[in-house]
Structure formats: C-alpha cells, structure tokens
Amino acid sequence: MNTNRRSFLKTGATAALGLSGLTVISPSVLGKSMGYVAPSDKVNLACIGIGNRGAEIIRELHKTGLCNVVALCDVDMGAKQTQDIIKMFPEAKHFQDFRKMFEQFGKNFDAVSVATPDFSHFPCTMLALSEGKHVYVEKPMARTFQEVDLMMAAAKKYPKLATQMGNQGHSEGNYFQFKTWKEAGVIKDVTAMTAHMNSRRRWHDWDPKISSYPAAEPIPSTLDWDVWTAQARPHEFNKDYHNGQWRCWYDFGMGALGDWGAHIMDTAHEFLDLGLPYEVNPTKLTGHNPFFFPMSTTLEFKFPERGAMPPMVITWQDGMDNIPAVPEGYGVSELDPNIPPPSTGQMQPAKLNPGKIIYSKDLIFKGGSHGSTLSIIGGDKAKEWESKLPEVPASPSNHFANFLKACKGEEQARSRFEIAGPLSQVFCLGVMAQWSGEKVEFDRETRKITNNPMLNQILAGMPPRKGWEEYYTV
C-alpha cells in the first residue's frame, strides 16, 4: 500500500502539472538557467605559467564559473609566486615541464592558458593546438614574426579550436564603443594616432652602456632553467632574466611596446583594418643598446590606404621623458580605474596615463588603455555630437568568459589569432626597428623587409635551440 501510495502521489503530481500547462524541470536545468554550470559542463583547463601574471589569469578564468582547473604547470613549482595558486586548487595535477603534462595528462583537459614569458608562448601554444586543445595565451602572441605566422597557421589548420590573446580590454567598453562608432561613421577618415605608455619600466635603472650579458648565477634549486629557456638562445641563469625581468631583454621579451601596445592600439588596428605597416621608423631611441630596450622610444608605423580609408600613421611613444604633445582642449589626464598600474609601480597622475589620441579629418578623440572608452576632444565638438552618438551595446561576456564560451561553441573569441596575430606582428616589426636602430621598410605583399637583408633573415626565422625544432612545423 505504501508503494502504491508513493506511485500515485508521483504520477498524480505529474498529471496535475501537465493539466495546468506546467513542465517538470530537472534541478540541473533549473540551476543552469540561474547561472550554475555543472562541473561536467565546464571546460577542463590546464594552466602553463602559474606565478605572477599567470596567477591573475587563472583566478579570472576560474571566477567565470565556466572551467575546472585540473592541471598546473610551472618551471618553478616551489617558488613563492606559485604557492598561492597551488593551494587554491589542491586537486589539480602538478607538472614542471609542459611537454610532460601533455604526454602524461593530455586526455584530461580541453584547453590551456599560457602565461609564460613572451618568447615561450610559442612552443606551448603550438603543442596545445597540435594536441587538439583550445588556447588562451598572454599578449603578445609570440616574440618573433615567424612564430606568430606559424601560430596563425596552426589556428587555421584546426578551426574548431578556440584561440584568444590576453588583451582583456578587447572584451570591454572600448571594444564595443570603437566598433559601434566606426560603423556609425563617428570614427572615420582617421589619419594619425599617438599611442603612449610613459610610466617607469623595469630597465630604467640599468646602465645602457652595457657591453655584455649579466654573469651567471646559481640556479634556484626548485627551478628547471632548461625548460624555462625553451627554444630561445641559451643564456646562463641570472635573476635579471627571471620573474618578469625577461621583458627587458630583446632575447626574451617585447619591451613596453609588446607589453602595453596590445592594450592601446588593438581596437584601432582591428576596426580600421590596418594590417601590417609598410614602414617603421625609429625617431627616438634614448639609451639604445643591443641587449635591452631603450630608456625612451618613439616609433612611427606607417600604413597605406585601405579601400576608402586614408593612409595612417601610428606614433608610439614610451619613456618617462617622452610625453607626447596633446591637442588644444585635451583637458586633464585623470587616473582611470580601468587601467591597471604597471607591474613596477603606480601611474603618474601629473602626466599622461597610458592611452591614445586619434586624429581624424573632422574630430579628435582621446582614450586610455585596456577597456577605457573614447571621448571627443573640444567642448563645442563634443556638445555638437552628444545627441548624435549611437547607443553602444554592453559586452555579453568578459575576455575570460568569452574564451571559455568559445571553447564550448557558444561565442566567437574576440581576440582570436586571426585578429591578434597581425597586431602582434606590428609589434615584432617595431621591436626590430628598436633593436637595429634602423628604419624597417616592409613589403606587405611579399611579407619581406626590403632595405635590410640581415633583418629580413631574422624576420624569416632564425634556427631554434636544438631539440625544439618540432614546434616549427604546422
């Protein structure tokens, strides 16, 4: 009787719901509609590079609620900067060599985040794509023009895999505003842009009269220096190559341009269809040397006409004594909460914050970095346009959620390699001009440097370190 009663209550309740036009909803479906995602529906994520900036990226990806962090990989799993993340994900498997992680644990994850030094983005990404994994990689995509080419080719070969470069402002206000204003004709006939980052950098206290690389030091007992070096030119360990210091050196990093250019130049590059420049002219290189980046740099990137759009020049300026001139009516450059401070300190409130000034035929715009939105310079012009500006849609997802949703086929990644690759190659050409101290003339059709055979050979690709050649095949 008890069994029959329970059966009756179950079927009776179901029938009553059916008669009233209601539907029985399972708890998992109900939870999903309220923002909950079951662990089985999440992207299983392996993280390569988990200290410092890598830790921040992992936290942001995890915060979306769309991924399970199942593996952690770093060349120094015993370092202070990796310990907090290791404690945060006690169930995750640990690896010190990303190659062993793929070999031993590859079947257990769907995607990877790559937050290693600029130069080692390349082998991690190439292996991930060849193994069928989605890839989120920090900016810039790679250190050399050739490596970016290969990464784009690999992404094209595996079109079902999501790729995303980590310029997170590309999913925030500036992205959607620039796109909307360009489509509405507010931004048109752009002829010039100043892009600038004038805060202190790690190398600003170094001696630019350097004549050799720093002397070898004992390798920390927890660090695998051989894996850290990856495909790059070998160097003996020194603390000034490690923990972010790598950004200072031409052999490992991309300087201020590679670090901040992707947060400042990205929307103009994409929505003004700039592609690659035909010329990069270094007009200021204070403290130039062949080892690390100048104290101050000014580069002119020249782009040709694109359809109905006129030729355009982007002037990049970095260095604390290299503040760009601003147009009349610019106003005050206030601290913008959307712009994170550089890793070496605070912004300079009395000077310009990282950002851009865009010059078009009729209007001048000013904007910051990352997700900071544009405003029209000049009180009368701004007032004239106030009622005519189109409504800008809100972002449907931040950069990290956008990537994970792209892995699941729910969105298209906004900074996928076909978008981020040419932008990264703009920086590669700029760094070649910084390193050589000479103008770079680039043929956009043949994709060759025409005025300097040595630079063209470097552009085509120098031999990788022995044992790392396999990553240079798509």
Side-chain angles (χ1 to χ4, degrees), residues 20-21 27 97 111 137 141 211 255 275 284 403 444:
S20 64
D97 186 329
V137 63
M141 274 172 54
S211 59
K284 181 183 179 75
F403 167 67
R444 286 165 42 111

Side-chain angles (χ1 to χ4, degrees), residues 348-360:
Q348 306 169 64
K351 299 179 180 179
L352 291 181
N353 295 310
K356 49 189 167 278
I357 306 165
I358 301 172
Y359 299 86
S360 70

